[in-house]
């Protein structure tokens, strides 16, 4: 069966708490941005949109040779909402589901993305890790269009909370690790998850 989904890789974050671009950290010699793109591309999406920051040309180079549309979030300091809005605008004519993926989940694998896509029926599907849930997620076209309602660091989880319509979940406890601080990076390097 032909793919009907699109995909978005959110890579415009400024990594303020970490102090360096997490998108360019490497795992097994591959940047986290490229790792996320490779996982997404392996699901055979109709289109892939990468949302980047305007002032990080090194991120552009990570996309060289890939069938990926570049989309710039000119104000990444305003939070994830702006990136989701840019992605939604780029995919305004896409009527099917969309995978939304970040770059900082170092244990992301294609198999998990396939599992999100395999959940039957329409509606949104999020990754579950313990009591929390969020990205990666599969969202329907209606949810993607509602990105216009978001602001700041509020992602689709805020829409789901307001509407009382929780997404279905595919559990992935390994994705709970949060690579946002120097201490978390040190832990990841010590564990061999991130290259030294």
């Amino acid at each position: 069966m032909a793919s009907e989904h699109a995909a978005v890789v959110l890579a415009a974050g400024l990594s303020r708490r970490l102090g360096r671009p997490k998108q360019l950290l490497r795992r097994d010699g591959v940047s986290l941005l490229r790792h996320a793109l490779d996982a997404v591309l392996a699901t055979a999406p109709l289109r892939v949109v990468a949302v980047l920051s305007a002032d990080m040309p090194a991120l552009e180079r990570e996309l060289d040779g890939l069938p990926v549309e570049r989309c710039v979030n000119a104000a990444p300091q305003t939070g994830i909402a702006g990136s989701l809005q840019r992605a939604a605008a780029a995919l305004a004519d896409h009527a099917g589901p969309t995978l939304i993926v970040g770059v900082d989940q170092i244990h992301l694998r294609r198999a998990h993305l396939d599992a999100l896509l395999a959940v039957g029926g329409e509606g949104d599907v999020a990754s579950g890790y313990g009591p929390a849930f969020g990205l990666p997620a599969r969202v329907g076209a209606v949810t993607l269009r509602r990105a216009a309602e978001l602001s700041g660091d509020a992602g689709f989880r805020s829409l789901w909370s307001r509407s009382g319509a929780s997404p279905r979940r595919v559990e992935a406890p390994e994705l709970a690790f949060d690579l946002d601080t120097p201490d978390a990076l040190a832990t990841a390097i010590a564990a061999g998850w991130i290259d030294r």
Side-chain angles (χ1 to χ4, degrees):
M1 184 168 70
S3 297
E4 298 178 349
H5 70 283
V8 170
V9 175
L10 300 172
L14 299 177
S15 308
R16 286 188 182 129
R17 287 188 290 160
L18 185 61
R20 60 194 274 199
K22 68 177 74 172
Q23 303 94 317
L24 297 175
L25 294 174
R26 303 190 97 68
R27 178 182 177 129
D28 300 326
V30 176
S31 72
L32 292 185
L33 172 55
R34 187 66 181 245
H35 176 75
L37 287 166
D38 288 346
V40 160
L41 287 164
T43 69
L46 295 173
R47 295 169 62 190
V48 179
V49 173
V51 185
L52 309 175
S53 170
D55 57 355
M56 293 184 67
L59 298 185
E60 286 275 349
R61 290 192 291 275
E62 291 294 316
L63 274 59
D64 286 349
L66 297 179
V68 174
E69 301 169 39
R70 292 149 168 86
C71 182
V72 173
N73 180 355
Q77 68 278 5
T78 61
I80 192 174
S83 290
L84 290 170
Q85 289 160 0
R86 296 290 299 140
L91 292 171
D93 61 346
H94 176 66
T98 298
L99 278 175
I100 310 284
V101 177
V103 298
D104 60 349
Q105 290 174 311
I106 57 179
H107 298 298
L108 176 68
R109 296 287 178 268
R110 174 203 172 162
H112 179 64
L113 300 180
D114 287 338
L116 291 170
L117 292 168
V119 174
E122 296 189 9
D124 302 333
V125 185
S127 299
Y129 14 88
F133 63 91
L135 297 181
R138 182 193 86 194
V139 300
V142 170
T143 299
L144 190 62
R145 284 193 294 270
R146 291 187 65 196
E149 301 172 29
L150 302 174
S151 63
D153 275 328
F156 289 123
R157 197 173 349 185
S158 67
L159 291 181
W160 295 323
S161 294
R162 286 199 308 259
S163 69
S166 292
R168 288 167 292 171
R169 293 168 56 128
V170 174
E171 297 302 322
E174 69 278 9
L175 298 180
F177 183 78
D178 196 1
L179 188 61
D180 274 347
T181 65
D183 285 346
L185 177 56
T187 297
I189 291 172
W193 302 334
I194 293 291
D195 299 349
R196 292 188 180 276

